[in-house]
Amino acid sequence: MPVDFYSKLTNARGVYTFRDFVLVPGRSDVEPSKVDLSINLTKQIHLNLPLVSSPMDTVTESDMAIALAREGGLGIIHRNMPIEEQVENAKRVKRAESFIIRDVVTITPDQKISDALELMHNKSISGLPVVSDGDRIVGILTKRDVNFADPNVSVREAMTSEVIVAGPEVTIEEAKKIMNKRKVEKLPVVDKNRKLMGLITIKDVYSRERFPLATRDSQGRLLVGAAVSPYDIERAKALEKHVDLLVSDVAHFHNTNILEAAKKLTNEVFVEFIAGNLGTIEGTKDTIEALDGHVAGIRAGVGSGSICVTSEVTKAGAPTLFAVSQIAVALQELGVEIPIIADGGIRAAGDGALALAAGASAIMMGNVFAGCTESPGGLIKIGGKYYKPYRGMGSMASRQKRFAMDRYNQPAKGIAEGVEGVVPYRGDVSTVVEEFASGLRASFGYAGATSVKDLWQKAKFGAVTAAGVDEMRPHSIILPGEEKI
Ligand code: XMP
């Protein structure tokens, strides 16, 4: 059959971007403060805020993941490092806080104070339960006990023998009461034979109060995700026990080899898997079919990231807003409910609101989070202002690092698909999250929606003309710092 080349142009689908639309204000009786921004990121993971940080080497390592999970979002540790280092990053997030620490570092009564000091220093801890006869607690050694003790005496001589303990069923409120009343900072948890089962610290108890929206697992530990290549089963297996979900990290998931690799991976690894990136109805349907029930979420968007040159170089792309709507349509046609994560091109809360309105459950951001204190890399001062480094994972610098250590990622394409540069420093994650959450709440208020699912129903999109793009930003005014322009 002859190819109808002309209709390829005339029948082209509109691939819309964030700048093409506004949310048309709707009748509202919703106060922004009453908006519920909590969402399901996957079948099992619930977030209090729909914010996820990109797995990029200038965005998410353990510090970012800890800070974001504490605020109610989730960080995805990047994979541009050896497997052990990525696992260690995930472990650091898990260790950052927990209601009951299970892998407690202990000491025995016959060891020396010098051993205790070394342990405390190496593990960065301030107290050691003292155990003997198969983990039975016989004392506790705190910083106070060791500070004035002779390093050569035994632990037995310096430890506090009268230990305040709690039973395995203790609740957080009970633990707090006991610790306040008895003025102790560490509360060992023991069974009826005084066998040590865990340790509660006052720091963790207060942390739960300080971060009420935090994303936690059943043990009170922060949730964390990690990025993997679908080909890298070795990495996925190493991460499996230390993360709450794995996130596929390929630009074009709708590829026969990748679908096959991801199928194999999801059959061998038993932790939730987010597929992506995808951007079309066909890609979504093929993915759902190939992965047969193993898709916990979908990363949407190809070529819209602020550091992307994919579309410029290859002219291939599925802008994030378009990608979200296509995937949402496909899932609806298939009759399955799988959360969509809008990934790339989100500059401000309004873009996030549009992505959610188009059918996404969460938004993933690289650029915005790269500017935070907790992203990897130090501050850079240029002309009196502060910046942080930010680069695409397809940039030459980033790819060179990955190729040195990731045998699954061969430099198939000699050209870079990302750029590197700097982004303005924005302050701590908590400030940025607060700004985004307030912005999202305000958008929901305009749309009259109380939750993301309500927004899906109520949001009405307005198409913006090229003239409108200019009018909808501050104009006809000289802003501070722009006086010379
Ligand atoms: P933002 O707009 O937040 O987008 O900076 C972050 C997302 O961009 C994707 N990403 C890339 N895309 N070349 C690309 O085409 C790259 O080098 C690159 N690095 C990251 C990724 O989906 C990320 O979450």
Side-chain angles (χ1 to χ4, degrees), residues 54-83:
S54 296
M56 298 172 71
D57 58 10
T58 46
V59 180
T60 314
E61 290 181 357
S62 56
D63 285 354
M64 171 62 64
I66 291 169
L68 192 50
R70 281 183 171 150
E71 297 302 326
L74 188 84
I76 313 295
I77 309 280
H78 73 85
R79 65 185 177 99
N80 206 3
M81 54 178 121
I83 294 176

PDB file of all heavy atoms in Angstrom, residues 54-83:
ATOM      1  N   SER A  54      13.702  13.553  41.103  1.00  0.00           N
ATOM      2  CA  SER A  54      14.240  12.766  39.977  1.00  0.00           C
ATOM      3  C   SER A  54      15.478  11.985  40.390  1.00  0.00           C
ATOM      4  O   SER A  54      16.309  12.488  41.158  1.00  0.00           O
ATOM      5  CB  SER A  54      14.657  13.695  38.837  1.00  0.00           C
ATOM      6  OG  SER A  54      13.562  14.361  38.320  1.00  0.00           O
ATOM      7  N   PRO A  55      15.631  10.772  39.822  1.00  0.00           N
ATOM      8  CA  PRO A  55      16.869  10.021  40.068  1.00  0.00           C
ATOM      9  C   PRO A  55      17.983  10.570  39.189  1.00  0.00           C
ATOM     10  O   PRO A  55      18.249  10.055  38.113  1.00  0.00           O
ATOM     11  CB  PRO A  55      16.486   8.590  39.672  1.00  0.00           C
ATOM     12  CG  PRO A  55      15.364   8.731  38.708  1.00  0.00           C
ATOM     13  CD  PRO A  55      14.675  10.033  38.990  1.00  0.00           C
ATOM     14  N   MET A  56      18.585  11.642  39.623  1.00  0.00           N
ATOM     15  CA  MET A  56      19.658  12.284  38.836  1.00  0.00           C
ATOM     16  C   MET A  56      20.822  12.566  39.776  1.00  0.00           C
ATOM     17  O   MET A  56      20.618  12.814  40.965  1.00  0.00           O
ATOM     18  CB  MET A  56      19.138  13.583  38.211  1.00  0.00           C
ATOM     19  CG  MET A  56      17.980  13.333  37.251  1.00  0.00           C
ATOM     20  SD  MET A  56      17.205  14.857  36.673  1.00  0.00           S
ATOM     21  CE  MET A  56      18.462  15.501  35.587  1.00  0.00           C
ATOM     22  N   ASP A  57      22.055  12.539  39.206  1.00  0.00           N
ATOM     23  CA  ASP A  57      23.213  12.624  40.108  1.00  0.00           C
ATOM     24  C   ASP A  57      23.460  14.018  40.662  1.00  0.00           C
ATOM     25  O   ASP A  57      24.336  14.201  41.506  1.00  0.00           O
ATOM     26  CB  ASP A  57      24.475  12.012  39.476  1.00  0.00           C
ATOM     27  CG  ASP A  57      24.867  12.655  38.176  1.00  0.00           C
ATOM     28  OD1 ASP A  57      24.292  13.704  37.827  1.00  0.00           O
ATOM     29  OD2 ASP A  57      25.753  12.109  37.483  1.00  0.00           O
ATOM     30  N   THR A  58      22.699  15.012  40.230  1.00  0.00           N
ATOM     31  CA  THR A  58      22.775  16.326  40.874  1.00  0.00           C
ATOM     32  C   THR A  58      21.481  16.610  41.651  1.00  0.00           C
ATOM     33  O   THR A  58      21.212  17.745  42.022  1.00  0.00           O
ATOM     34  CB  THR A  58      23.006  17.450  39.833  1.00  0.00           C
ATOM     35  OG1 THR A  58      22.104  17.225  38.735  1.00  0.00           O
ATOM     36  CG2 THR A  58      24.428  17.469  39.342  1.00  0.00           C
ATOM     37  N   VAL A  59      20.670  15.548  41.863  1.00  0.00           N
ATOM     38  CA  VAL A  59      19.391  15.768  42.556  1.00  0.00           C
ATOM     39  C   VAL A  59      19.220  14.862  43.786  1.00  0.00           C
ATOM     40  O   VAL A  59      19.094  15.349  44.909  1.00  0.00           O
ATOM     41  CB  VAL A  59      18.189  15.575  41.592  1.00  0.00           C
ATOM     42  CG1 VAL A  59      16.868  15.817  42.321  1.00  0.00           C
ATOM     43  CG2 VAL A  59      18.295  16.483  40.387  1.00  0.00           C
ATOM     44  N   THR A  60      19.218  13.530  43.565  1.00  0.00           N
ATOM     45  CA  THR A  60      18.805  12.668  44.672  1.00  0.00           C
ATOM     46  C   THR A  60      19.839  11.650  45.118  1.00  0.00           C
ATOM     47  O   THR A  60      20.089  10.651  44.428  1.00  0.00           O
ATOM     48  CB  THR A  60      17.492  11.919  44.334  1.00  0.00           C
ATOM     49  OG1 THR A  60      16.570  12.844  43.770  1.00  0.00           O
ATOM     50  CG2 THR A  60      16.881  11.302  45.590  1.00  0.00           C
ATOM     51  N   GLU A  61      20.432  11.943  46.290  1.00  0.00           N
ATOM     52  CA  GLU A  61      21.155  10.929  47.057  1.00  0.00           C
ATOM     53  C   GLU A  61      20.466  10.890  48.415  1.00  0.00           C
ATOM     54  O   GLU A  61      19.354  11.416  48.560  1.00  0.00           O
ATOM     55  CB  GLU A  61      22.650  11.272  47.118  1.00  0.00           C
ATOM     56  CG  GLU A  61      23.273  11.085  45.739  1.00  0.00           C
ATOM     57  CD  GLU A  61      24.755  11.367  45.650  1.00  0.00           C
ATOM     58  OE1 GLU A  61      25.352  11.770  46.652  1.00  0.00           O
ATOM     59  OE2 GLU A  61      25.313  11.179  44.559  1.00  0.00           O
ATOM     60  N   SER A  62      21.102  10.287  49.422  1.00  0.00           N
ATOM     61  CA  SER A  62      20.366  10.057  50.676  1.00  0.00           C
ATOM     62  C   SER A  62      19.874  11.342  51.352  1.00  0.00           C
ATOM     63  O   SER A  62      18.765  11.381  51.878  1.00  0.00           O
ATOM     64  CB  SER A  62      21.210   9.242  51.645  1.00  0.00           C
ATOM     65  OG  SER A  62      22.438   9.873  51.868  1.00  0.00           O
ATOM     66  N   ASP A  63      20.655  12.422  51.312  1.00  0.00           N
ATOM     67  CA  ASP A  63      20.218  13.652  52.001  1.00  0.00           C
ATOM     68  C   ASP A  63      18.902  14.179  51.433  1.00  0.00           C
ATOM     69  O   ASP A  63      18.001  14.580  52.168  1.00  0.00           O
ATOM     70  CB  ASP A  63      21.288  14.757  51.869  1.00  0.00           C
ATOM     71  CG  ASP A  63      22.472  14.491  52.779  1.00  0.00           C
ATOM     72  OD1 ASP A  63      22.396  13.533  53.577  1.00  0.00           O
ATOM     73  OD2 ASP A  63      23.470  15.225  52.686  1.00  0.00           O
ATOM     74  N   MET A  64      18.810  14.197  50.100  1.00  0.00           N
ATOM     75  CA  MET A  64      17.572  14.654  49.462  1.00  0.00           C
ATOM     76  C   MET A  64      16.415  13.706  49.804  1.00  0.00           C
ATOM     77  O   MET A  64      15.314  14.148  50.148  1.00  0.00           O
ATOM     78  CB  MET A  64      17.782  14.707  47.933  1.00  0.00           C
ATOM     79  CG  MET A  64      16.531  14.966  47.112  1.00  0.00           C
ATOM     80  SD  MET A  64      15.752  16.548  47.458  1.00  0.00           S
ATOM     81  CE  MET A  64      17.017  17.695  46.923  1.00  0.00           C
ATOM     82  N   ALA A  65      16.681  12.392  49.710  1.00  0.00           N
ATOM     83  CA  ALA A  65      15.612  11.418  49.963  1.00  0.00           C
ATOM     84  C   ALA A  65      15.102  11.534  51.404  1.00  0.00           C
ATOM     85  O   ALA A  65      13.895  11.454  51.651  1.00  0.00           O
ATOM     86  CB  ALA A  65      16.115  10.006  49.669  1.00  0.00           C
ATOM     87  N   ILE A  66      16.013  11.745  52.347  1.00  0.00           N
ATOM     88  CA  ILE A  66      15.603  11.882  53.757  1.00  0.00           C
ATOM     89  C   ILE A  66      14.756  13.149  53.919  1.00  0.00           C
ATOM     90  O   ILE A  66      13.652  13.114  54.487  1.00  0.00           O
ATOM     91  CB  ILE A  66      16.847  11.939  54.679  1.00  0.00           C
ATOM     92  CG1 ILE A  66      17.548  10.581  54.710  1.00  0.00           C
ATOM     93  CG2 ILE A  66      16.459  12.378  56.096  1.00  0.00           C
ATOM     94  CD1 ILE A  66      18.923  10.591  55.367  1.00  0.00           C
ATOM     95  N   ALA A  67      15.251  14.254  53.385  1.00  0.00           N
ATOM     96  CA  ALA A  67      14.546  15.534  53.564  1.00  0.00           C
ATOM     97  C   ALA A  67      13.164  15.498  52.915  1.00  0.00           C
ATOM     98  O   ALA A  67      12.178  15.967  53.496  1.00  0.00           O
ATOM     99  CB  ALA A  67      15.383  16.666  52.971  1.00  0.00           C
ATOM    100  N   LEU A  68      13.087  14.917  51.727  1.00  0.00           N
ATOM    101  CA  LEU A  68      11.806  14.920  51.010  1.00  0.00           C
ATOM    102  C   LEU A  68      10.797  13.976  51.661  1.00  0.00           C
ATOM    103  O   LEU A  68       9.611  14.305  51.789  1.00  0.00           O
ATOM    104  CB  LEU A  68      12.053  14.556  49.534  1.00  0.00           C
ATOM    105  CG  LEU A  68      10.903  14.783  48.566  1.00  0.00           C
ATOM    106  CD1 LEU A  68      10.319  16.189  48.685  1.00  0.00           C
ATOM    107  CD2 LEU A  68      11.360  14.545  47.130  1.00  0.00           C
ATOM    108  N   ALA A  69      11.276  12.807  52.089  1.00  0.00           N
ATOM    109  CA  ALA A  69      10.356  11.859  52.764  1.00  0.00           C
ATOM    110  C   ALA A  69       9.845  12.466  54.070  1.00  0.00           C
ATOM    111  O   ALA A  69       8.686  12.275  54.438  1.00  0.00           O
ATOM    112  CB  ALA A  69      11.057  10.529  53.021  1.00  0.00           C
ATOM    113  N   ARG A  70      10.697  13.221  54.765  1.00  0.00           N
ATOM    114  CA  ARG A  70      10.245  13.848  56.016  1.00  0.00           C
ATOM    115  C   ARG A  70       9.127  14.851  55.760  1.00  0.00           C
ATOM    116  O   ARG A  70       8.238  15.045  56.578  1.00  0.00           O
ATOM    117  CB  ARG A  70      11.409  14.562  56.708  1.00  0.00           C
ATOM    118  CG  ARG A  70      12.289  13.596  57.440  1.00  0.00           C
ATOM    119  CD  ARG A  70      13.388  14.311  58.188  1.00  0.00           C
ATOM    120  NE  ARG A  70      14.086  13.383  59.042  1.00  0.00           N
ATOM    121  CZ  ARG A  70      15.365  13.470  59.381  1.00  0.00           C
ATOM    122  NH1 ARG A  70      16.094  14.472  58.928  1.00  0.00           N
ATOM    123  NH2 ARG A  70      15.912  12.587  60.170  1.00  0.00           N
ATOM    124  N   GLU A  71       9.149  15.479  54.584  1.00  0.00           N
ATOM    125  CA  GLU A  71       8.124  16.487  54.272  1.00  0.00           C
ATOM    126  C   GLU A  71       6.858  15.854  53.702  1.00  0.00           C
ATOM    127  O   GLU A  71       5.872  16.532  53.487  1.00  0.00           O
ATOM    128  CB  GLU A  71       8.682  17.502  53.261  1.00  0.00           C
ATOM    129  CG  GLU A  71       9.858  18.314  53.771  1.00  0.00           C
ATOM    130  CD  GLU A  71       9.557  19.099  55.034  1.00  0.00           C
ATOM    131  OE1 GLU A  71       8.414  19.562  55.189  1.00  0.00           O
ATOM    132  OE2 GLU A  71      10.460  19.218  55.889  1.00  0.00           O
ATOM    133  N   GLY A  72       6.912  14.553  53.366  1.00  0.00           N
ATOM    134  CA  GLY A  72       5.712  13.885  52.836  1.00  0.00           C
ATOM    135  C   GLY A  72       5.821  13.427  51.407  1.00  0.00           C
ATOM    136  O   GLY A  72       4.896  12.847  50.851  1.00  0.00           O
ATOM    137  N   GLY A  73       6.973  13.695  50.756  1.00  0.00           N
ATOM    138  CA  GLY A  73       7.171  13.241  49.377  1.00  0.00           C
ATOM    139  C   GLY A  73       8.059  12.008  49.335  1.00  0.00           C
ATOM    140  O   GLY A  73       8.094  11.235  50.314  1.00  0.00           O
ATOM    141  N   LEU A  74       8.790  11.825  48.240  1.00  0.00           N
ATOM    142  CA  LEU A  74       9.639  10.641  48.112  1.00  0.00           C
ATOM    143  C   LEU A  74      10.823  10.942  47.204  1.00  0.00           C
ATOM    144  O   LEU A  74      10.663  11.603  46.170  1.00  0.00           O
ATOM    145  CB  LEU A  74       8.828   9.487  47.504  1.00  0.00           C
ATOM    146  CG  LEU A  74       9.548   8.149  47.489  1.00  0.00           C
ATOM    147  CD1 LEU A  74       9.400   7.438  48.828  1.00  0.00           C
ATOM    148  CD2 LEU A  74       9.005   7.245  46.396  1.00  0.00           C
ATOM    149  N   GLY A  75      11.998  10.443  47.594  1.00  0.00           N
ATOM    150  CA  GLY A  75      13.187  10.616  46.760  1.00  0.00           C
ATOM    151  C   GLY A  75      13.554   9.309  46.073  1.00  0.00           C
ATOM    152  O   GLY A  75      13.427   8.238  46.665  1.00  0.00           O
ATOM    153  N   ILE A  76      14.009   9.430  44.826  1.00  0.00           N
ATOM    154  CA  ILE A  76      14.461   8.235  44.086  1.00  0.00           C
ATOM    155  C   ILE A  76      15.968   8.358  43.892  1.00  0.00           C
ATOM    156  O   ILE A  76      16.443   9.236  43.157  1.00  0.00           O
ATOM    157  CB  ILE A  76      13.776   8.129  42.687  1.00  0.00           C
ATOM    158  CG1 ILE A  76      12.249   8.349  42.775  1.00  0.00           C
ATOM    159  CG2 ILE A  76      14.123   6.789  42.038  1.00  0.00           C
ATOM    160  CD1 ILE A  76      11.495   7.305  43.562  1.00  0.00           C
ATOM    161  N   ILE A  77      16.726   7.473  44.568  1.00  0.00           N
ATOM    162  CA  ILE A  77      18.190   7.530  44.504  1.00  0.00           C
ATOM    163  C   ILE A  77      18.661   7.212  43.079  1.00  0.00           C
ATOM    164  O   ILE A  77      18.246   6.203  42.503  1.00  0.00           O
ATOM    165  CB  ILE A  77      18.816   6.485  45.470  1.00  0.00           C
ATOM    166  CG1 ILE A  77      18.218   6.598  46.878  1.00  0.00           C
ATOM    167  CG2 ILE A  77      20.333   6.561  45.453  1.00  0.00           C
ATOM    168  CD1 ILE A  77      18.748   7.673  47.742  1.00  0.00           C
ATOM    169  N   HIS A  78      19.534   8.065  42.549  1.00  0.00           N
ATOM    170  CA  HIS A  78      20.005   7.857  41.171  1.00  0.00           C
ATOM    171  C   HIS A  78      20.919   6.633  41.080  1.00  0.00           C
ATOM    172  O   HIS A  78      21.366   6.094  42.103  1.00  0.00           O
ATOM    173  CB  HIS A  78      20.714   9.120  40.668  1.00  0.00           C
ATOM    174  CG  HIS A  78      22.062   9.353  41.264  1.00  0.00           C
ATOM    175  ND1 HIS A  78      23.200   8.782  40.771  1.00  0.00           N
ATOM    176  CD2 HIS A  78      22.470  10.080  42.348  1.00  0.00           C
ATOM    177  CE1 HIS A  78      24.247   9.156  41.485  1.00  0.00           C
ATOM    178  NE2 HIS A  78      23.820   9.946  42.468  1.00  0.00           N
ATOM    179  N   ARG A  79      21.201   6.205  39.869  1.00  0.00           N
ATOM    180  CA  ARG A  79      21.979   4.961  39.684  1.00  0.00           C
ATOM    181  C   ARG A  79      23.340   5.235  39.057  1.00  0.00           C
ATOM    182  O   ARG A  79      23.987   4.311  38.567  1.00  0.00           O
ATOM    183  CB  ARG A  79      21.193   3.986  38.816  1.00  0.00           C
ATOM    184  CG  ARG A  79      20.987   4.472  37.407  1.00  0.00           C
ATOM    185  CD  ARG A  79      20.110   3.522  36.632  1.00  0.00           C
ATOM    186  NE  ARG A  79      19.859   4.020  35.301  1.00  0.00           N
ATOM    187  CZ  ARG A  79      20.508   3.635  34.224  1.00  0.00           C
ATOM    188  NH1 ARG A  79      21.475   2.754  34.311  1.00  0.00           N
ATOM    189  NH2 ARG A  79      20.206   4.133  33.052  1.00  0.00           N
ATOM    190  N   ASN A  80      23.763   6.495  39.070  1.00  0.00           N
ATOM    191  CA  ASN A  80      25.043   6.810  38.447  1.00  0.00           C
ATOM    192  C   ASN A  80      26.190   6.604  39.436  1.00  0.00           C
ATOM    193  O   ASN A  80      27.020   7.491  39.668  1.00  0.00           O
ATOM    194  CB  ASN A  80      25.021   8.257  37.953  1.00  0.00           C
ATOM    195  CG  ASN A  80      25.980   8.456  36.796  1.00  0.00           C
ATOM    196  OD1 ASN A  80      26.605   7.500  36.336  1.00  0.00           O
ATOM    197  ND2 ASN A  80      26.099   9.676  36.335  1.00  0.00           N
ATOM    198  N   MET A  81      26.199   5.435  40.050  1.00  0.00           N
ATOM    199  CA  MET A  81      27.214   5.098  41.058  1.00  0.00           C
ATOM    200  C   MET A  81      27.253   3.573  41.151  1.00  0.00           C
ATOM    201  O   MET A  81      26.323   2.900  40.694  1.00  0.00           O
ATOM    202  CB  MET A  81      26.839   5.716  42.407  1.00  0.00           C
ATOM    203  CG  MET A  81      25.451   5.377  42.916  1.00  0.00           C
ATOM    204  SD  MET A  81      25.165   6.110  44.526  1.00  0.00           S
ATOM    205  CE  MET A  81      23.746   7.136  44.270  1.00  0.00           C
ATOM    206  N   PRO A  82      28.326   3.027  41.757  1.00  0.00           N
ATOM    207  CA  PRO A  82      28.382   1.566  41.890  1.00  0.00           C
ATOM    208  C   PRO A  82      27.192   1.051  42.704  1.00  0.00           C
ATOM    209  O   PRO A  82      26.630   1.790  43.517  1.00  0.00           O
ATOM    210  CB  PRO A  82      29.688   1.338  42.650  1.00  0.00           C
ATOM    211  CG  PRO A  82      30.483   2.579  42.473  1.00  0.00           C
ATOM    212  CD  PRO A  82      29.502   3.688  42.327  1.00  0.00           C
ATOM    213  N   ILE A  83      26.856  -0.208  42.494  1.00  0.00           N
ATOM    214  CA  ILE A  83      25.694  -0.811  43.170  1.00  0.00           C
ATOM    215  C   ILE A  83      25.786  -0.634  44.682  1.00  0.00           C
ATOM    216  O   ILE A  83      24.822  -0.210  45.331  1.00  0.00           O
ATOM    217  CB  ILE A  83      25.591  -2.316  42.819  1.00  0.00           C
ATOM    218  CG1 ILE A  83      25.276  -2.488  41.328  1.00  0.00           C
ATOM    219  CG2 ILE A  83      24.523  -3.003  43.664  1.00  0.00           C
ATOM    220  CD1 ILE A  83      25.245  -3.918  40.838  1.00  0.00           C
TER     221      ILE A  83
END
